[in-house]
Amino acid sequence: MVGKTISVVGLGKLGASMAAAMADRGFDVIGVDVSRAAVENLNAGKAPVQETTLQEYIDRNRQRLSATLEHRDAVMKSDITFVIVPTPSDKNGAFSIKYAATAFRAIGKALKEKKGYHTVVLTSTVLPGATRYGLLPLLEQESGKKCGKDFGLCYSPEFIALGSVIRDFLNPDFLLVGEFDRKSGETLESYYEKIMENHPPCKRMSIENAELAKVSLNSYVTMKITFANILTELCEKIPGGDVDAVSDAIGLDRRIGRKYLTGGLGFGGPCFPRDNVAVSFLARELGVRNEIAEATDRFNRTIPARFVEKISRHIPSGSTVAVLGLSYKPYSCVVEESQGILLAQALSKQNYTVTGYDPLANDNARHMLGDDIQIKESVQDCIAGADAVLITTPDPAFTALKLGDFRKGKEDMLVVDFWRVLAGELSGKPGIRYVPVGQGSRIRDAENVLEMMWRDA
Ligand SMILES: NC(=O)c1ccc[n+]([C@@H]2O[C@H](COP(=O)([O-])OP(=O)(O)OC[C@H]3O[C@@H](n4cnc5c(N)ncnc54)[C@H](O)[C@@H]3O)[C@@H](O)[C@H]2O)c1
């Protein structure tokens, strides 16, 4: 049932890594992209995108990896096709399937000529109904064939994080397979058995249930992150409050779990914010109340402005602020909805002079921020002359910083450490005003509020 050759349509952040990972597991993989650069890069043995270990995986699987601009070639020569093209959010928060439609039409045309059974798998994130009612008809129209008889169809998203796409793809907590029919699901499951390194459980279900499971998982995680960020604020208002102490304790409860419960900054990146908004859209369309997803989004969007307000209480506008961390997370060059970028923009608007640095995202940040913010080539350059430093991601380039690195800034420098990664190094050190986010001070004001609450008890 499992063929030797797989095709992957879309060689972007997810598709290129999946192609290389599947080649590493012994399959011949043909990548397809409409971008000539992506195809030429892969054929020349170069990673089309930045991703941890992707270049190494390509290097050691060159003979099993190729790429083409022609969907037809790839479908004719493979047994199964994964489609991982963009599904950008539209103005209502839904996902557009226009790129997927173009890909499905091209695959449908190829299926018309192809002899034998072929399985098509949509990996891109879509909302319930999109695969069956938006895309399947295109395959049938173009091929003149019947789904479930002449070809198979699954919706099967991945739960990867940028920066660890290959590791996450090969070692998932579970596999999610939405199947048009039993044969489609069985076929995909047998490929996954050969691809995955960790023998994960495979949940097979209807296409619509799988579409809902994908976006609802991400929406749930954003809710959890937001809960941790509310705890962060509460802890800052409680004398001696410590968000890590609280999260470490409640995270031990198996109903809760510790992952994604670290308070600090909001969530960002190309998936979490938009998947959560899409779940709100879906609920509205279906007449279901979903204030949780809406409140999560609203709270998350207030976070940068709230911190800028707090920073303005410590240092006047006109001061220089260094933002360390411009990608939305460590090990990534992606700056979409990055809290570091949002902070830099908000500070600049309040007339602070802002410098920024990120080990991987400097180029993308420059593109997004324009001339308003000076992007520096090293942490040291970024800190030099700063009145305040914000550490926005727990990137190893920042967690390894020493007190001496901060001495290059101004005397009495403010250091706002959103993830408390330098507490041991900077807390209580002369010449540094170290502010670990999510920890309450012992100031009398905070104690007064608590005392007032209980005075007449
Ligand atoms: N990046 C992530 O972390 C992540 C995680 C889970 C799910 N997803 C989902 O995966 C999908 C792809 O995301 P991505 O980040 O890899 O996107 P991307 O923009 O990095 O890459 C998409 C690639 O598809 C190509 N493409 C567009 N139309 C095409 C067509 N008709 N035929 C062939 N190639 C085509 C583009 O040229 C590009 O190279 C999206 O639906 C996204 O929501 C992404």
Side-chain angles (χ1 to χ4, degrees):
M1 205 184 227
V2 175
K4 201 175 163 319
T5 308
I6 293 174
S7 50
V8 174
V9 175
L11 295 170
K13 295 185 284 297
L14 182 49
S17 294
M18 279 176 61
M22 293 193 285
D24 202 58
R25 301 294 287 160
F27 289 92
D28 290 328
V29 181
I30 307 169
V32 187
D33 207 293
V34 290
S35 152
R36 192 170 289 278
V39 169
E40 285 176 358
N41 274 330
L42 193 58
N43 281 333
K46 286 195 210 128
V49 292
Q50 180 276 327
E51 178 52 45
T52 309
T53 70
L54 175 57
Q55 189 59 55
E56 287 162 40
Y57 272 70
I58 292 174
D59 288 345
R60 63 174 194 245
N61 293 290
R62 291 259 339 242
Q63 74 289 3
R64 281 194 284 272
L65 269 172
S66 63
T68 172
L69 289 161
E70 302 299 330
H71 296 72
R72 183 186 170 282
D73 280 358
V75 172
M76 296 302 273
K77 289 182 189 148
S78 62
D79 308 284
I80 186 167
T81 301
F82 291 84
V83 180
I84 313 140
V85 297
T87 47
S89 302
D90 68 19
K91 61 180 186 334
N92 300 316
F95 301 131
S96 159
I97 55 168
K98 64 180 177 183
Y99 298 105
T102 307
F104 269 61
R105 275 195 199 96
I107 295 166
K109 281 198 177 86
L111 289 179
K112 186 174 188 168
E113 290 177 56
K114 181 155 184 182
K115 297 200 172 44
Y117 185 82
H118 190 93
T119 307
V120 181
V121 182
L122 179 66
T123 304
S124 301
T125 309
V126 294
L127 281 172
T131 311
R132 187 184 305 273
Y133 302 106
L135 298 171
L136 165 57
L138 304 176
L139 287 181
E140 292 193 331
Q141 277 158 28
E142 297 293 342
S143 65
K145 293 184 174 176
K146 278 308 275 170
C147 189
K149 180 171 151 280
D150 306 310
F151 64 90
L153 177 66
C154 290
Y155 171 70
S156 182
E158 298 298 331
F159 298 93
I160 54 84
L162 293 182
S164 54
V165 176
I166 293 181
R167 192 192 63 206
D168 297 348
F169 171 70
L170 292 173
N171 299 278
D173 287 348
F174 70 108
L175 294 162
L176 181 59
V177 172
E179 59 193 37
F180 178 82
D181 63 342
R182 213 169 140 171
K183 183 173 175 189
S184 304
E186 265 166 17
T187 305
L188 179 56
E189 187 176 1
S190 41
Y191 275 90
Y192 279 154
E193 269 163 22
K194 296 237 174 330
I195 293 168
M196 302 311 162
E197 290 176 342
N198 64 337
H199 309 294
C202 181
K203 299 305 283 181
R204 282 172 48 191
M205 58 192 71
S206 75
I207 288 178
E208 288 73 18
N209 279 329
E211 289 167 326
L212 179 59
K214 164 66 185 175
V215 283
S216 56
L217 187 147
N218 278 356
S219 182
Y220 187 92
V221 174
T222 62
M223 178 182 73
K224 196 171 175 188
I225 294 169
T226 300
F227 188 82
N229 283 330
I230 292 170
L231 283 181
T232 303
E233 281 216 38
L234 286 171
C235 286
E236 288 186 349
K237 301 231 155 110
I238 290 175
D242 180 349
V243 71
D244 294 322
V246 177
S247 294
D248 284 348
I250 66 176
L252 286 173
D253 188 306
R254 274 175 294 172
R255 289 170 299 179
I256 296 178
R258 184 62 178 83
K259 281 189 174 169
Y260 291 95
L261 201 59
T262 300
L265 273 172
F267 55 84
C271 293
F272 279 161
R274 79 187 199 105
D275 287 6
N276 184 52
V277 167
V279 170
S280 296
F281 165 83
L282 176 70
R284 276 198 309 279
E285 287 294 299
L286 298 178
V288 174
R289 290 177 64 170
N290 185 359
E291 280 105 343
I292 294 181
E294 285 162 16
T296 296
D297 185 61
R298 266 200 309 278
F299 185 88
N300 198 58
R301 290 188 193 284
T302 62
I303 290 175
R306 263 187 293 120
F307 279 115
V308 170
E309 199 272 318
K310 278 184 196 170
I311 290 162
S312 71
R313 280 187 246 144
H314 291 276
I315 53 163
S317 68
S319 311
T320 301
V321 182
V323 179
L324 298 184
L326 300 168
S327 59
Y328 81 102
K329 59 175 295 202
Y331 305 110
S332 174
C333 65
V334 174
V335 293
E336 227 171 308
E337 301 246 13
S338 143
Q339 296 277 309
I341 294 277
L342 293 168
L343 279 166
Q345 286 170 325
L347 285 161
S348 171
K349 245 191 207 143
Q350 298 294 319
N351 296 321
Y352 288 94
T353 301
V354 183
T355 62
Y357 170 76
D358 191 282
L360 293 175
N362 268 0
D363 288 344
N364 288 341
R366 221 174 255 123
H367 190 68
M368 184 166 267
L369 294 169
D371 295 335
D372 292 347
I373 279 107
Q374 303 161 34
I375 307 294
K376 303 289 187 177
E377 291 312 315
S378 69
V379 180
Q380 283 71 22
D381 278 357
C382 192
I383 294 177
D387 299 285
V389 176
L390 315 185
I391 301 167
T392 68
T393 65
D395 193 286
F398 312 139
T399 58
L401 289 172
K402 299 285 172 224
L403 179 61
D405 295 306
F406 293 87
R407 295 274 187 235
K408 293 175 183 118
K410 300 257 176 77
E411 185 58 26
D412 203 25
M413 175 191 266
L414 174 74
V415 179
V416 182
D417 186 353
F418 289 95
W419 304 101
R420 305 163 291 283
V421 293
L422 292 176
E425 189 65 24
L426 299 185
S427 185
K429 295 290 158 54
I432 301 277
R433 275 184 289 161
Y434 178 70
V435 177
V437 164
Q439 293 188 4
S441 61
R442 295 198 179 274
I443 54 171
R444 192 64 203 146
D445 276 359
E447 286 172 16
N448 283 346
V449 174
L450 287 192
E451 261 179 52
M452 289 286 285
M453 277 172 63
W454 303 107
R455 185 159 290 165
D456 299 324

